[in-house]
Amino acid sequence: MNTFSSSSSTLLGSSALPSLKITSPFSKCRTTRLVTKASVAVQQQTQHPKVALIRIGTRGRYSFFPASGSSPLALAQAYETRDKLIASHSELAEEGAIQIVIIKTTGDKILSQPLADIGGKGLFTKEIDEALLNSDIDIAVHSMKDVPTYLPDKTILPCNLPREDVRDAFISLNATSLADLPTGSVIGTASLRRKSQILHRYPSLNVQDNFRGNVQTRLRKLSEGVVQATLLALAGLKRLNMTEHVSSTLSIDDMLPAVAQGAIGIACRSNDDKMAEYIASLNHEETRLAVVCERAFLLTLDGSCRTPIAGYACRNEDGNCLFRGLVASPDGTRVLETTRVGPYAVEDMIEMGKDAGKELLSRAGPGFFTS
């Protein structure tokens, strides 16, 4: 079996939420007093904070009115990380031992354009990576589907938390499924992956692909009639305790998820052994290996936000890895799929992802990924 060459370290660097209940899309996200330092907003956990042992960096559109600017889902993921750290390390349970740092990212600031037009999903991680390298934070919590396939130098990502449900949720005020929508109905999404798979099965629908904003913003736009339906990751709705909005859940057969959907990754500096030890204790190896497999597929395709790509690895009933991959044209007229089955072991799963990517590259032909 071949090793994964120079990109191996990048890919190898790759639950349920116990709290942070948000009961409606219009709820205010509860936060404590915010203190601004440069472009980074630090959420203090106490009124008389001591020096934190760990500063957790997460994304958000910070303002002096945090409920209107922060990202509740990103905060939920940061709180989940905090709570798991406290449960695993008694010294972190002390008041003020962990602080959460909200970092304004370019992806959160620019909402008027599609992601593909402003540089892709890496715009949700760039400023957080910079804060990590500048020692403004100690660890960074990411939605793994937002993490580029290459990590910045001097950073590692040794931990994935247990993966949530990877499926997509269909949400509408008037329909229970995509099949129930009348011809010409407008569906809002920010994902070309979702757009292409919807149009492939339901070409009579109208898919708007610049339907951006956090979960609450999208649900508000839906209630205002801007669109007739939307699709959101079920994982995020579960972490926010907002599954009451779900009209139905799409099967994997109907909507293959994004690479690493539902997975949270935690990064630190490569020379920070203490932080690496802390976060490695939280790692869920089955999730990490699935993410590694999917990211090997994505890296082989050299995919961008302009190419609809989906990939999902899981353990089947025999204990082996089942991988499914997909590439599509944005208009959904052409969809290519492949599967692989092999041992649930890191080198085998990397090879499966790479091999599936090579197959789809060959089948797609010249120009498919640049058109």
Side-chain angles (χ1 to χ4, degrees):
M1 186 65 63
N2 294 332
T3 58
F4 196 48
S5 71
S6 60
S7 58
S8 178
S9 60
T10 300
L11 294 163
L12 289 173
S14 80
S15 78
L17 178 65
S19 60
L20 193 67
K21 184 177 174 113
I22 299 179
T23 56
S24 90
F26 315 108
S27 297
K28 300 293 185 181
C29 175
R30 294 189 182 96
T31 56
T32 54
R33 183 173 60 92
L34 293 174
V35 179
T36 304
K37 179 182 179 182
S39 62
V40 177
V42 181
Q43 182 183 15
Q44 306 289 356
Q45 300 301 311
T46 65
Q47 288 187 342
H48 303 287
K50 68 175 186 179
V51 176
L53 297 177
I54 300 180
R55 295 162 299 165
I56 300 175
T58 187
R59 54 180 274 219
R61 299 187 306 281
Y62 174 71
S63 72
F64 284 106
F65 302 95
S68 65
S70 60
S71 169
L73 179 55
L75 287 174
Q77 295 177 165
Y79 289 145
E80 180 175 346
T81 301
R82 178 202 63 184
D83 292 346
K84 288 181 181 295
L85 283 167
I86 289 172
S88 300
H89 303 278
S90 58
E91 71 273 22
L92 299 179
E94 293 186 36
E95 204 169 34
I98 298 179
Q99 292 177 354
I100 292 177
V101 180
I102 300 173
I103 299 170
K104 186 189 298 183
T105 70
T106 302
D108 287 311
K109 287 186 283 187
I110 304 176
L111 297 176
S112 59
Q113 298 171 263
L115 283 173
D117 293 346
I118 60 174
K121 288 186 177 180
L123 296 176
F124 288 123
T125 60
K126 179 176 179 289
E127 285 85 358
I128 300 176
D129 292 334
E130 290 173 352
L132 185 61
L133 291 170
N134 292 336
S135 297
D136 291 322
I137 58 175
D138 301 302
I139 64 174
V141 176
H142 298 297
S143 292
M144 281 303 302
K145 70 177 183 179
D146 291 338
V147 178
T149 50
Y150 287 104
L151 299 177
D153 288 340
K154 300 180 181 179
T155 69
I156 56 173
L157 208 162
C159 172
N160 290 125
L161 300 185
R163 196 173 199 174
E164 249 295 0
D165 197 316
V166 303
R167 294 174 296 171
D168 283 318
F170 173 80
I171 304 176
S172 175
L173 302 180
N174 306 306
T176 58
S177 69
L178 286 166
D180 291 338
L181 289 171
T183 296
S185 295
V186 179
I187 303 175
T189 181
S191 164
L192 288 182
R193 169 190 65 87
R194 291 180 178 129
K195 176 182 178 180
S196 64
Q197 292 184 75
I198 292 170
L199 292 177
H200 183 64
R201 291 176 174 81
Y202 304 99
S204 66
L205 298 178
N206 179 4
V207 182
Q208 178 191 121
D209 60 12
N210 190 31
F211 192 69
R212 296 187 55 209
N214 63 28
V215 171
Q216 289 78 1
T217 298
R218 297 188 202 195
L219 291 177
R220 175 180 55 77
K221 289 180 180 179
L222 176 65
S223 70
E224 292 171 351
V226 176
V227 297
Q228 281 73 63
T230 189
L231 299 185
L232 296 172
L234 185 57
L237 294 169
K238 285 189 172 185
R239 289 187 172 115
L240 290 170
N241 291 329
M242 293 175 66
T243 55
E244 71 272 17
H245 299 283
V246 176
S247 303
S248 61
T249 301
L250 282 71
S251 71
I252 298 297
D253 291 333
D254 289 334
M255 181 65 63
L256 199 63
V259 164
Q261 182 156 307
I264 295 173
I266 310 175
C268 67
R269 291 179 293 277
S270 56
N271 63 354
D272 194 336
D273 294 340
K274 184 61 176 176
M275 291 302 128
E277 180 182 346
Y278 273 135
I279 62 179
S281 68
L282 307 185
N283 181 56
H284 186 255
E285 189 66 0
E286 182 171 330
T287 296
R288 189 183 75 90
L289 295 187
V291 169
V292 164
C293 179
E294 295 164 21
R295 283 166 62 82
F297 172 71
L298 182 63
L299 178 61
T300 302
L301 290 170
D302 192 25
S304 72
C305 278
R306 295 187 182 277
T307 306
I309 296 173
Y312 177 48
C314 63
R315 195 186 294 273
N316 65 15
E317 60 272 14
D318 298 322
N320 290 319
C321 175
L322 169 62
F323 173 76
R324 298 179 58 175
L326 173 152
V327 296
S329 59
D331 62 4
T333 56
R334 192 175 179 200
V335 174
L336 305 175
E337 299 182 71
T338 190
T339 61
R340 294 289 186 281
V341 178
Y344 211 98
V346 61
E347 290 190 4
D348 297 277
M349 293 170 71
I350 288 172
E351 283 299 323
M352 288 164 59
K354 291 171 64 177
D355 191 58
K358 290 175 182 176
E359 178 198 330
L360 293 186
L361 276 174
S362 176
R363 288 169 57 190
F368 187 87
F369 291 92
T370 56
S371 59

